[in-house]
Amino acid sequence: MELQDFHLAPCQGAEFSDVLSLIQLQNSYINKIYKLIYLLNHDLAVATSSEFQEFSVHFNTFAQRQASSEGFGQAIDAVKVYHYVLLEKLLDSQVLAAAEQLEMAAGHLDLIARNPKLRINPQVLLLNQSISLLEENQLKIMENLEALLIGSRQKHLQN
């Protein structure tokens, strides 16, 4: 099936607007988490922890892959989606790989939070909470995009 065989059909504005809001919220979380990581890099008790270093590597990889995703880069400035191909790009391999890195980063952060010396650090607590919120947001984005993509495909097949 060729791309020219597809008809342009506007996506439901409110549904896609919700996804855009979640993406913007995600970017806000990422920026706040980077600020916390910066502060924690100055705390030798945390910064020298191998788990914190592993967390930082995976979180940084998550953020880089998320930012390099063609769909997410285009969607932040988009108002409407006219073709489900763009929805598929929003769930491209970079986004899925980013989600895996975020999960691995959260696992390492969980190990840091179990360390009695490190878990009382207020920035570690805040970072742990922020990562949990980011994970929830990432899951909502992916679920909403999958639902939009399925809906878009069904509409296309009916045409």
Side-chain angles (χ1 to χ4, degrees), residues 4-155:
Q4 65 262 21
D5 295 333
F6 290 103
H7 302 285
L8 297 178
C11 182
Q12 297 300 321
E15 294 165 340
F16 192 65
S17 178
D18 290 345
V19 172
L20 287 176
S21 295
L22 288 170
I23 292 171
Q24 290 170 337
L25 180 61
Q26 180 183 49
N27 286 335
S28 175
Y29 285 155
I30 290 169
N31 288 332
K32 289 177 183 178
I33 288 169
Y34 267 124
K35 289 176 184 176
L36 287 169
I37 291 171
Y38 177 78
L39 290 172
L40 287 169
N41 274 322
H42 291 84
D43 183 336
L44 291 180
V46 177
T48 58
S49 162
S50 63
E51 292 302 331
F52 181 74
Q53 292 170 5
E54 283 293 319
F55 160 79
S56 296
V57 166
H58 291 294
F59 183 78
N60 194 43
T61 303
F62 154 77
Q64 288 175 344
R65 286 189 173 161
Q66 196 74 11
S68 71
S69 167
E70 181 181 355
F72 268 54
Q74 291 175 1
I76 290 172
D77 297 326
V79 175
K80 291 183 179 179
V81 175
Y82 288 101
H83 203 284
Y84 80 81
V85 172
L86 179 58
L87 290 175
E88 288 178 335
K89 286 182 180 180
L90 286 168
L91 284 173
D92 67 11
S93 61
Q94 290 294 329
V95 171
L96 299 176
E100 288 176 15
Q101 289 297 315
L102 180 59
E103 188 176 335
M104 290 170 52
H108 288 285
L109 185 59
D110 188 46
L111 293 173
I112 293 169
R114 291 182 189 175
N115 182 326
K117 292 179 184 176
L118 301 179
R119 73 172 168 218
I120 60 171
N121 184 312
Q123 279 99 8
V124 169
L125 294 172
L126 190 56
L127 183 59
N128 202 9
Q129 182 181 16
S130 297
I131 288 293
S132 294
L133 291 171
L134 181 59
E135 281 185 302
E136 284 180 37
N137 192 68
Q138 178 78 9
L139 181 60
K140 285 180 186 176
I141 289 171
M142 293 176 77
E143 288 173 347
N144 286 345
L145 286 173
E146 286 174 356
L148 283 171
L149 185 56
I150 289 168
S152 178
R153 283 184 179 155
Q154 289 173 345
K155 285 178 188 174

